[in-house]
Amino acid sequence: MKWVHFNVDNRIKDLPRIFEKLRLPLIQPEYLIDVLEQDKLIRHDQSCRDVLEEAKRYHLLPARRQEFVSPRMSFRNFGDFEEVVVCVGGTDDNSKTTQRVICYSEKRSKWFSLASMPHDPGVEFATCSYGNAIYISGGSTKMNAMLCYISTQNKWVYCEPMLLGRRRHAMVAVGEHVYVLGGYDDNNDDDFRTLMSIEQYSIATGSWEDAGYLSVAVRSASVAVDREKIYLFGGVTREDFDTKIVQCFDTRLKTCNIVCELPVYCRLSSAISHDHNIYLVCPDGDVIVFSADGTTEEKGKIPGFDRYSFGAVLKNNSIIVLGGMDSDHSYGDCITFDLLTSTSSISADVLPQKASGIGCVKTVINKKYLETLSRSKQN
């Protein structure tokens, strides 16, 4: 900016072209607001304002950071920090669950290990992120437990337990809260083990409270957010039937309603939000796009895909599908579905070992915490 201001008449024309190359999301929010936003040259150029607004959204919406896609979110090769895909827990071919946490660096095409969880959550836990923190709730081992991974310290801490223990539930962050929806409670009466309850966890106070109820009690559903509304896709009802329904929970009004039906019955899918659409990866490989107006259409299909309990995460303009299992065995591959071309490909990079039921999120972590995954740990 000093360079532009030194000779404004001749250099102002180059400002938008330079500005779009700056990694503004990696700058402290105070600098964005107190310095850049106050600069008249930036304020009077629409292209510069758009780039600045993008960076502000990154900082202002930590609950939506998993959806953030930008060429300006690339960390420097020799910097201290790196964005990684984190895989939590899961089972291998021997059906053993694990406390281990691993992560993948796309930049280095390499797997690393992070601090292990303080307890094994078992199977059917839920995972979400808020900013660069990772939350794990429930699971077959400790159904009311809640863990938080603090990426700046590479450590796990226990949060206040949930009001109702659950597994096979959905979890997502909206605003300043983490929500858990539905699921299955082994300790309830048979008719009420599949839950309608929605609980919210306050990031600020560290406490839980009841938030409302689903229209239909379901378990094994997938979840995603559009603006301040949570959408729950399919699942299994109390009558043990798969369902096509899409439920919408309004986090402001604390109300839930059924908005539409999917074209297929859907359990154990994965939902990914991107650019105000929600993409649903189904166990048969169908990729369905859902819009907030209640319309759905088939986006494409992953050929030869027939599995469940897989992980999924948004990376650039693609959905990365990791692991999973069918009736016979687990998988260790990584499949990329390109949202722009609706095509899929199998990555040369695979999981350190076959796994299903893993929780997958993105986070930013200091490189000093990335421990190379040894061959003994992989096996």
Side-chain angles (χ1 to χ4, degrees):
M1 294 309 300
K2 289 180 180 179
W3 178 82
V4 175
H5 279 287
F6 185 80
N7 189 352
V8 173
D9 292 342
N10 291 325
R11 296 175 179 176
I12 185 64
K13 66 181 185 302
D14 295 316
L15 179 60
R17 191 160 52 92
I18 298 172
F19 211 69
E20 69 176 10
K21 301 296 184 183
L22 303 179
R23 308 180 202 209
L24 293 191
L26 308 185
I27 290 177
Q28 291 297 322
E30 291 83 2
Y31 188 86
L32 296 175
I33 295 171
D34 294 340
V35 179
L36 294 186
E37 196 172 50
Q38 306 307 315
D39 191 292
K40 291 182 179 179
L41 297 184
I42 295 172
R43 287 164 55 188
H44 292 161
D45 188 282
Q46 183 63 50
S47 298
C48 293
R49 291 205 309 272
D50 289 344
V51 174
L52 182 59
E53 286 301 313
E54 175 194 71
K56 288 164 60 179
R57 284 197 302 274
Y58 176 82
H59 289 287
L60 289 171
L61 300 173
R64 311 296 298 278
R65 203 161 287 174
Q66 292 289 304
E67 307 164 27
F68 189 82
V69 174
S70 170
R72 288 167 285 278
M73 192 54 201
S74 174
F75 285 84
R76 298 185 183 279
N77 290 336
F78 298 101
D80 293 332
F81 294 91
E82 188 166 344
E83 185 179 69
V84 294
V85 175
V86 180
C87 296
V88 181
T91 63
D92 58 20
D93 286 335
N94 299 319
S95 298
K96 294 178 181 178
T97 56
T98 179
Q99 294 173 238
R100 78 172 186 166
V101 180
I102 58 176
C103 66
Y104 181 73
S105 165
E106 183 180 45
K107 187 172 289 187
R108 289 188 266 177
S109 299
K110 198 171 183 179
W111 288 92
F112 298 91
S113 62
L114 299 174
S116 296
M117 290 178 284
H119 77 267
D120 179 356
V123 296
E124 298 166 347
F125 58 88
T127 313
C128 79
S129 67
Y130 179 87
N132 292 321
I134 301 170
Y135 289 90
I136 305 292
S137 65
S140 59
T141 304
K142 292 186 177 182
M143 290 200 300
N144 67 342
M146 174 85 150
L147 290 171
C148 175
Y149 176 73
I150 304 173
S151 63
T152 54
Q153 301 175 44
N154 188 32
K155 75 174 185 178
W156 292 88
V157 296
Y158 279 100
C159 303
E160 189 74 18
M162 289 184 287
L163 303 178
L164 280 178
R166 60 188 78 202
R167 57 191 177 99
R168 306 182 197 172
H169 57 292
M171 180 167 69
V172 72
V174 184
E176 300 296 319
H177 294 89
V178 171
Y179 293 83
V180 293
L181 306 94
Y184 189 81
D185 182 2
D186 301 79
N187 299 319
N188 240 328
D189 295 335
D190 288 348
D191 293 339
F192 299 100
R193 287 185 174 179
T194 299
L195 301 173
M196 297 181 71
S197 113
I198 302 171
E199 297 179 23
Q200 68 179 30
Y201 174 81
S202 169
I203 303 292
T205 67
S207 60
W208 288 95
E209 62 178 292
D210 288 318
Y213 296 93
L214 296 171
S215 298
V216 177
V218 289
R219 61 185 188 269
S220 303
S222 57
V223 66
V225 177
D226 181 57
R227 298 173 179 88
E228 293 179 297
K229 294 182 178 180
I230 300 173
Y231 291 90
L232 202 68
F233 298 93
V236 182
T237 66
R238 283 177 175 168
E239 295 75 28
D240 289 330
F241 294 128
D242 288 6
T243 180
K244 296 180 179 180
I245 62 170
V246 178
Q247 303 184 63
C248 174
F249 178 71
D250 189 313
T251 59
R252 280 190 176 272
L253 302 177
K254 299 295 188 289
T255 57
C256 185
N257 64 296
I258 298 172
V259 294
C260 69
E261 287 193 349
L262 297 167
V264 295
Y265 290 100
C266 191
R267 73 157 84 181
L268 296 171
S269 60
S270 286
I272 300 289
S273 295
H274 176 51
D275 197 22
H276 297 303
N277 285 319
I278 297 174
Y279 296 88
L280 206 63
V281 182
C282 300
D284 64 356
D286 284 338
V287 180
I288 299 169
V289 59
F290 167 85
S291 300
D293 60 4
T295 59
T296 62
E297 64 175 301
E298 189 165 327
K299 179 69 174 176
K301 191 176 182 69
I302 302 174
F305 190 87
D306 183 16
R307 67 185 76 172
Y308 55 93
S309 294
F310 49 86
V313 67
L314 180 70
K315 188 69 174 174
N316 298 325
N317 289 301
S318 298
I319 297 175
I320 311 299
V321 179
L322 303 101
M325 66 183 299
D326 58 22
S327 57
D328 297 320
H329 63 279
S330 298
Y331 293 87
D333 53 359
C334 300
I335 299 172
T336 299
F337 183 85
D338 191 313
L339 296 175
L340 301 180
T341 63
S342 297
T343 58
S344 61
S345 59
I346 298 178
S347 172
D349 301 306
V350 298
L351 288 163
Q353 68 180 49
K354 298 176 181 179
S356 64
I358 51 178
C360 295
V361 295
K362 291 184 298 186
T363 193
V364 173
I365 194 160
N366 194 305
K367 292 178 181 177
K368 68 182 180 181
Y369 296 131
L370 298 179
E371 178 187 346
T372 301
L373 198 61
S374 67
R375 185 168 297 276
S376 62
K377 288 184 178 180
Q378 294 183 35
N379 296 330

